[in-house]
Amino acid sequence: MRTQVAIIGGGPAGLLLSHLLHLQGIDSVVLESRDRDYVEHRQRAGMLEQGTTDVLRETGVGERLDREGLVHHGLELRFGGAGHRVPLTDLTGRTVTVYAQTEIVKDLVARRLADGGDVRFEAEVVGLDASAPSVTFRSGGETRTLDCDYIAGCDGFHGVSRPAVPDVRTFEREYPFAWLGILADVAPSTEELIYANHDRGFALHSLRSPQVSRLYLQVSPDEDIAKWSDARIWDELATRFATDDGWKLHEGPITGKSITPMRSFVAEPLRHDRLFLAGDAGHIVPPTGAKGLNLAVSDVIVLARALSERYASGSQTLLDGYSDACLRRVWRAEHFSYWMTTLLHVDPAASDFERRLQRSHLDYVASSEAAKTSLAENYAGLPIL
Ligand code: FAD
Ligand code: DHB
């Protein structure tokens, strides 16, 4: 078997890369270890930057996004029993859109298959050679080798690509908390997202549609999900979102529950020879601020551009600049995600002094146009260069 670009991983990064390369006349094969149903229903991200929606639209996979995506112009910070709006669009001229990662994945899989693309599910990559480029994968009980010109490692944090970069330098931070996320069949209690800080911990009210709410609670990293009955989850959410003016949280049947650890992680460089890392394979952000999926998208835009230049003119300049170009944006998002996580979560080890500083920081962001503008500029997303 042979292709121009072997793509390991059929998450948003791998699928979008394959689509972008196809539009430039470049062949790829996507190898995904899980089955299609699993990949299309794994609950994860929900908030898209305008740069992400623009690319989906401009490359012809934005039709359902335009119909079903919910465009937002602001968000709420809630603490001390009161809400404070950050008017994202007024401050930045940009919007953000709620459209679940599951839906982007469905749209991209459907489009690749309709375009005759080669996307293989239940095909697990077990080895790769970044110098005489090839990947070895298991599928249907057989082990096969795919020869290629380049390998895109889009296989997420636990994949095989990053360990294949020798002398990789990693930068990491673990947080003393995790997120318990739920999906519930109930109309959202808010039009805009609410990021809440409460003495008992952080809570986030997001949504998936006018009928489906998505909510998150800060819990401890070793939390046992079995201890969280539906009633306990709703009680805790109501406590953390409570305001002095009697705002009400709508409750409804919970259809999904999971716990996600929080970490910051960057690998440098994002390249070894003919292997390029993109998305969660190269970096992780804590979810506060919704940057993970958006970073995966910006990485593959840069990679698709570089590979197009290479095939069109033979020039390697953009490929050589890939890692540095992505890392500049990655580190900005790393800082913002760390900052927003620290601003909003309760660190169980924080001293009273640190808690007072955090409260002062929240008051400042809520009351200063300059501070809100900085939050808004990062949240809505900096331009993809
Ligand atoms: P992945 O989605 O992890 O895809 C990698 C794929 O590679 C997987 O399908 C995996 O099965 C496959 N794979 C792994 N190993 C192999 C192998 N050996 N062979 C073949 N295939 C392999 N981001 C945002 O931008 N906004 C948000 O609102 C947001 N909210 C989030 C909320 C939660 C609860 C979580 C967990 C994450 C959130 N994120 C958010 C982050 C976002 O989901 C990820 O950054 C995104 O999935 C990264 O895409 P990816 O394609 O790089 O990796
Ligand atoms: C969602 C997740 C986030 O991490 C975030 O900051 C905003 C929204 C979500 O899943 O909807």
Side-chain angles (χ1 to χ4, degrees):
M1 278 180 79
R2 188 175 164 81
T3 189
Q4 289 177 297
V5 182
I7 300 176
I8 311 177
L15 292 165
L16 181 60
L17 177 64
S18 179
H19 173 61
L20 297 176
L21 292 176
H22 170 71
L23 296 178
Q24 299 299 321
I26 300 166
D27 283 337
S28 65
V29 175
V30 178
L31 300 168
E32 165 58 50
S33 56
R34 302 293 198 141
D35 65 34
R36 180 173 174 181
D37 188 65
Y38 181 89
V39 172
E40 290 187 344
H41 293 94
R42 186 170 39 190
Q43 265 312 315
R44 283 186 164 182
M47 183 53 94
L48 308 181
E49 295 175 4
Q50 192 168 318
T52 298
T53 49
D54 285 350
V55 159
L56 296 173
R57 222 171 263 134
E58 284 159 14
T59 63
V61 281
E63 192 204 322
R64 206 158 61 90
L65 165 74
D66 280 335
R67 245 185 304 127
E68 296 175 17
L70 303 167
V71 176
H72 283 204
H73 301 282
L75 59 79
E76 182 181 325
L77 297 178
R78 192 176 280 189
F79 59 92
H84 308 267
R85 184 166 188 262
V86 179
L88 297 171
T89 305
D90 290 348
L91 294 171
T92 66
R94 277 174 286 146
T95 60
V96 290
T97 302
V98 175
Y99 189 67
Q101 179 167 331
T102 47
E103 306 314 295
I104 296 184
V105 167
K106 285 179 203 163
D107 294 346
L108 286 168
V109 169
R111 181 57 188 265
R112 283 310 294 127
L113 297 179
D115 286 344
D118 194 344
V119 181
R120 299 184 186 211
F121 294 98
E122 298 177 83
E124 188 188 2
V125 172
V126 290
L128 62 91
D129 183 335
S131 303
S134 71
V135 301
T136 306
F137 65 101
R138 278 205 208 105
S139 170
E142 274 182 65
T143 301
R144 307 183 64 182
T145 297
L146 173 63
D147 294 317
C148 53
D149 301 332
Y150 295 98
I151 304 170
C154 302
D155 48 350
F157 188 66
H158 301 287
V160 294
S161 299
R162 194 179 58 253
V165 179
D167 304 325
V168 70
R169 183 152 182 223
T170 60
F171 302 82
E172 191 161 10
R173 181 188 179 93
E174 301 255 347
Y175 296 83
F177 30 77
W179 277 15
L180 190 169
I182 63 158
L183 205 58
D185 280 338
V186 59
S189 311
T190 177
E191 284 183 9
E192 294 182 341
L193 268 58
I194 305 171
Y195 288 84
N197 170 269
H198 185 277
D199 288 346
R200 296 177 61 86
F202 168 78
L204 168 60
H205 194 323
S206 181
L207 55 147
R208 286 292 176 266
S209 75
Q211 299 81 34
V212 177
S213 298
R214 175 84 169 144
L215 297 116
Y216 299 96
L217 276 175
Q218 173 187 346
V219 295
S220 78
D222 54 1
E223 194 72 42
D224 177 3
I225 202 162
K227 297 202 172 123
W228 286 85
S229 66
D230 293 7
R232 181 177 174 205
I233 291 174
W234 286 119
D235 276 357
E236 191 63 33
L237 285 166
T239 303
R240 295 192 194 177
F241 285 120
T243 61
D244 296 339
D245 64 5
W247 181 88
K248 275 269 171 299
L249 177 68
H250 308 153
E251 298 183 11
I254 295 179
T255 58
K257 249 184 232 182
S258 60
I259 291 187
T260 311
M262 296 180 69
R263 80 161 58 83
S264 298
F265 177 92
V266 182
E268 293 187 0
L270 296 170
R271 172 188 188 175
H272 170 59
D273 213 340
R274 286 172 176 246
L275 166 68
F276 294 83
L277 304 180
D280 281 13
H283 40 78
I284 297 285
V285 288
T288 337
K291 290 291 158 227
L293 171 59
N294 293 295
L295 277 181
V297 167
S298 53
D299 282 357
V300 299
I301 291 170
V302 175
L303 185 53
R305 235 185 249 150
L307 288 166
S308 302
E309 182 198 58
R310 169 76 183 83
Y311 282 110
S313 71
S315 162
Q316 310 235 29
T317 311
L318 291 183
L319 279 178
D320 289 343
Y322 169 78
S323 181
D324 286 349
C326 289
L327 285 170
R328 262 194 299 280
R329 189 181 168 81
V330 165
W331 275 112
R332 177 88 300 280
E334 288 289 344
H335 177 262
F336 175 65
S337 306
Y338 155 86
W339 176 83
M340 195 144 161
T341 298
T342 310
L343 176 69
L344 289 161
H345 288 71
V346 174
D347 180 346
S351 63
D352 289 346
F353 176 78
E354 286 161 329
R355 281 175 203 227
R356 283 284 193 279
L357 286 184
Q358 183 189 39
R359 182 52 186 269
S360 167
H361 197 173
L362 281 164
D363 282 335
Y364 174 60
V365 175
S367 60
S368 152
E369 173 106 351
K372 277 190 197 165
T373 304
S374 171
L375 187 159
E377 177 180 54
N378 283 278
Y379 190 89
L382 292 156
I384 301 167
L385 298 173

